[in-house]
Amino acid sequence: MHIVKTVESLCRSVKKIKSQNKTIGFVPTMGALHDGHCSLIRKSRRENDIVVISIFVNPSQFGPKEDFKAYPRPEKKDILLAKKEKVDIIFYPSEKVMYPTGFLTNVHVDEITDRLCGATRPGHFRGVTTVVGKLLNIVTPDALYLGQKDAQQVVVLKRMIADLNFPVAVKVCPIIREPDGLAMSSRNKYLTPRQREGATVLFKSLKDARKRALAGEYNAANILRRMRTAIRKHTPGKIDYIVCVDAHSLIPLKQLKGRVMVVLAVKFGQTRLIDNIIFYI
Amino acid sequence: MHIVKTVESLCRSVKKIKSQNKTIGFVPTMGALHDGHCSLIRKSRRENDIVVISIFVNPSQFGPKEDFKAYPRPEKKDILLAKKEKVDIIFYPSEKVMYPTGFLTNVHVDEITDRLCGATRPGHFRGVTTVVGKLLNIVTPDALYLGQKDAQQVVVLKRMIADLNFPVAVKVCPIIREPDGLAMSSRNKYLTPRQREGATVLFKSLKDARKRALAGEYNAANILRRMRTAIRKHTPGKIDYIVCVDAHSLIPLKQLKGRVMVVLAVKFGQTRLIDNIIFYI
């Protein structure tokens, strides 16, 4: 496994790989790797000759009051895990490599970045699309592996990739959960024991919403009211949003129809957790 | 020569070319090809195995009151000329191919797009960077050929390509001029005989500025005053801007130093002409 820290060095490796007609699968991460990331790496491993992951805690996708500094950076553990998962190359750039002096460009997706997480995290998705645009140009992968946990990120990046004609296939992998159902996240380790226990209500309420919807409750307001009540009853968490949306467009639905996503963000102290569930009506 | 109208079809051609390890030189144009474009095509022809040009009058880089509808589209003449210049592929997409329903993404370069042409053409460079970003992802060229006539466009696109790590070399080709010195432009044909005659003062005044600067006049205000006087005296043209700037950063200079660009935009009726000259102090 190679750990590559500069763009030039990675481009040389990629050129060699391409000259051998090998395919590249790419998993962009912010490190603090967990089983969610591993599921992406494994799928990429199965489907490609070469697996590249990036580890970069991207400052431009954090708001000024968010957890950029506190975000976990367990470098050695991440490298060991990547090795175990048979990653070929870790692209591990510094901030200066990604945003050198004089950097002025950004990639922005309109409309679908304003709602849900975008409403409380202005600039977040601009940071994500810009850094992923850069990474796609550096790694030039055949396939990009994304986790469904970051549901809005998936929709936004798919839109960017289609709109800007990036020549890459997008593979979305299912949410990986802890035994008690909590969606895996590098931020779960911020939770106190009480918050951690309460956080299990998120997935329970999503499953309950799906069950009710599939049983014929198509009124979004009724579904959401029940979810809010359960979350408030069982946790000290503060609801940022819970919405039923069209899973393609992220447009809120009053009546559930088609490919529905119920998606939520709840804050436990300073820790903001997200989760979602998709089903068909 | 192939004329390709869809992204899918072009991607198939590009894949085949890449599998043969051939290099691609790319010249993006809005058609109405003249000797300026031909000089780019010829350089690309000399330096690459395959030459791709695009012809697309990009609506998103025109302002609402600009000449998008009137912009010349001599399709047959362009195709003949491209054939004569031994172009391998013309990518000739429709608006719907480039901006299908649901398109939401743009690429934006900050700061250096606000001044000069950006000041009077808000959104223009966003349109340029977005469409060129798309074209680079579609054509995946080894080298991109740009004309120095669009000086700010060159600086902005170089910035975008560096910032987003597009794996392409940028080759900037000198301005091609009519026998009387007027920089070639698809918009020159809009000029009335009187405007056309007056327009020759633009390059004359740029040459005069260079001559004075190289003779020791480093005060930008003095140089610009003389240029304005000459342009007002000899033409009915309305000056949009004349500035001495640092050729790399486009920052205005009071004292000429380093790689200096004198750059101007002058309107003759509805026709806006641009020109520039670069020299070292």
Side-chain angles (χ1 to χ4, degrees), chain A residues 104-106 108 134 163 165, chain B residues 104-106 108 134 163 165:
Chain A
L104 289 173
T105 306
N106 64 70
H108 181 62
K134 283 171 67 67
D163 285 355
N165 308 95
Chain B
L104 289 173
T105 307
N106 64 69
H108 182 62
K134 283 172 66 68
D163 285 355
N165 307 95

Side-chain angles (χ1 to χ4, degrees), chain B residues 149 175 177-178 180-185 187-188 191 194-211 223-224 226-243 262-269 271-279:
Chain B
K149 207 223 30 180
I175 300 175
R177 299 180 179 282
E178 301 288 352
D180 63 5
L182 180 65
M184 288 206 183
S185 163
R187 290 185 169 107
N188 288 350
L191 299 170
R194 185 165 162 253
Q195 290 169 337
R196 174 67 188 77
E197 200 191 325
T200 57
V201 78
L202 303 184
F203 185 49
K204 281 184 198 133
S205 71
L206 287 168
K207 280 194 295 185
D208 183 60
R210 178 179 60 187
K211 192 174 148 195
I223 297 233
L224 297 176
R226 200 180 150 92
M227 289 182 74
R228 279 193 208 98
T229 306
I231 290 170
R232 283 188 188 126
K233 189 173 164 192
H234 292 99
T235 80
K238 199 170 159 279
I239 296 170
D240 181 355
Y241 64 78
I242 314 182
V243 204
V262 187
V263 55
L264 57 76
V266 177
K267 265 186 116 169
F268 293 84
T271 308
R272 193 169 167 283
L273 300 182
I274 57 176
D275 203 350
N276 67 86
I277 203 163
I278 291 178
F279 49 86

Side-chain angles (χ1 to χ4, degrees), chain A residues 7 101-112 130 133-134 137-138 140 159-160 162-167, chain B residues 7 101-112 130 133-134 137-138 140 159-160 162-167:
Chain A
V7 173
T101 310
F103 187 94
L104 289 173
T105 306
N106 64 70
V107 178
H108 181 62
V109 177
D110 278 329
E111 294 180 23
I112 52 173
T130 302
K134 283 171 67 67
N137 281 338
I138 295 168
T140 62
R159 185 76 262 160
M160 173 191 82
D163 285 355
L164 297 185
N165 308 95
F166 280 98
Chain B
V7 173
T101 310
F103 188 93
L104 289 173
T105 307
N106 64 69
V107 178
H108 182 62
V109 177
D110 277 329
E111 294 182 21
I112 52 173
T130 302
K134 283 172 66 68
N137 281 338
I138 295 167
T140 62
R159 185 75 264 158
M160 173 191 82
D163 285 355
L164 296 186
N165 307 95
F166 280 98

Side-chain angles (χ1 to χ4, degrees), chain A:
Chain A
M1 188 179 75
H2 295 284
I3 300 169
V4 174
K5 302 217 168 197
T6 69
V7 173
E8 297 69 28
S9 172
L10 192 78
C11 288
R12 273 197 303 276
S13 301
V14 164
K15 209 171 172 180
K16 202 176 150 191
I17 295 163
K18 298 262 169 181
S19 76
Q20 298 167 337
N21 279 316
K22 288 180 176 167
T23 61
I24 299 175
F26 176 49
V27 183
T29 84
M30 299 210 300
L33 303 180
H34 52 63
D35 282 356
H37 300 105
C38 290
S39 77
L40 303 180
I41 295 172
R42 282 173 204 157
K43 190 168 165 65
S44 173
R45 180 72 283 164
R46 285 196 298 277
E47 297 181 350
N48 298 277
D49 299 317
I50 299 290
V51 174
V52 180
I53 76 167
S54 61
I55 297 181
F56 179 60
V57 185
N58 176 34
S60 74
Q61 71 190 68
F62 288 80
K65 288 180 183 174
E66 290 181 10
D67 57 342
F68 174 64
K69 281 194 178 166
Y71 199 86
R73 291 166 172 85
E75 187 172 334
K76 282 183 191 170
K77 207 180 140 207
D78 283 347
I79 291 171
L80 280 173
L81 192 56
K83 210 166 183 169
K84 198 176 139 233
E85 295 294 345
K86 304 192 183 70
V87 167
D88 296 289
I89 299 173
I90 303 184
F91 181 49
Y92 214 135
S94 66
E95 253 184 75
K96 200 157 183 166
V97 160
M98 291 301 274
Y99 302 112
T101 310
F103 187 94
L104 289 173
T105 306
N106 64 70
V107 178
H108 181 62
V109 177
D110 278 329
E111 294 180 23
I112 52 173
T113 55
D114 301 338
R115 44 190 90 125
L116 308 177
C117 290
T120 43
R121 304 187 73 188
H124 167 67
F125 286 111
R126 189 184 301 252
V128 171
T129 44
T130 302
V131 81
V132 173
K134 283 171 67 67
L135 291 168
L136 289 176
N137 281 338
I138 295 168
V139 179
T140 62
D142 296 275
L144 172 70
Y145 294 81
L146 301 173
Q148 176 57 33
K149 208 228 15 178
D150 298 292
Q152 190 175 9
Q153 178 171 281
V154 166
V155 172
V156 170
L157 286 175
K158 277 184 167 179
R159 185 76 262 160
M160 173 191 82
I161 285 165
D163 285 355
L164 297 185
N165 308 95
F166 280 98
V168 65
V170 179
K171 311 279 183 125
V172 182
C173 305
I175 300 175
I176 305 296
R177 301 181 178 279
E178 301 288 352
D180 64 4
L182 181 65
M184 290 209 182
S185 164
S186 306
R187 290 185 169 107
N188 288 350
K189 58 190 70 168
Y190 296 151
L191 298 171
T192 64
R194 185 165 163 253
Q195 289 170 339
R196 175 66 188 78
E197 199 191 327
T200 58
V201 78
L202 302 184
F203 184 49
K204 280 184 200 134
S205 72
L206 287 168
K207 279 193 297 186
D208 183 61
R210 178 180 57 187
K211 190 174 148 195
R212 305 219 132 234
L214 295 178
E217 173 62 273
Y218 300 151
N219 184 298
N222 290 346
I223 296 235
L224 298 176
R225 193 179 312 115
R226 200 179 152 93
M227 289 183 73
R228 280 194 209 97
T229 306
I231 290 171
R232 285 189 187 125
K233 188 172 165 191
H234 293 99
T235 81
K238 197 169 159 282
I239 296 169
D240 181 355
Y241 63 79
I242 313 182
V243 203
C244 299
V245 296
D246 177 273
H248 293 292
S249 65
L250 301 181
I251 292 172
L253 298 170
K254 285 183 179 173
Q255 284 294 114
L256 308 193
K257 201 185 164 192
R259 191 166 171 254
V260 174
M261 178 159 67
V262 186
V263 55
L264 57 78
V266 176
K267 266 186 117 172
F268 293 84
Q270 287 305 303
T271 307
R272 192 170 168 284
L273 301 182
I274 56 176
D275 201 351
N276 66 85
I277 203 164
I278 291 178
F279 49 86
Y280 295 80
I281 296 290

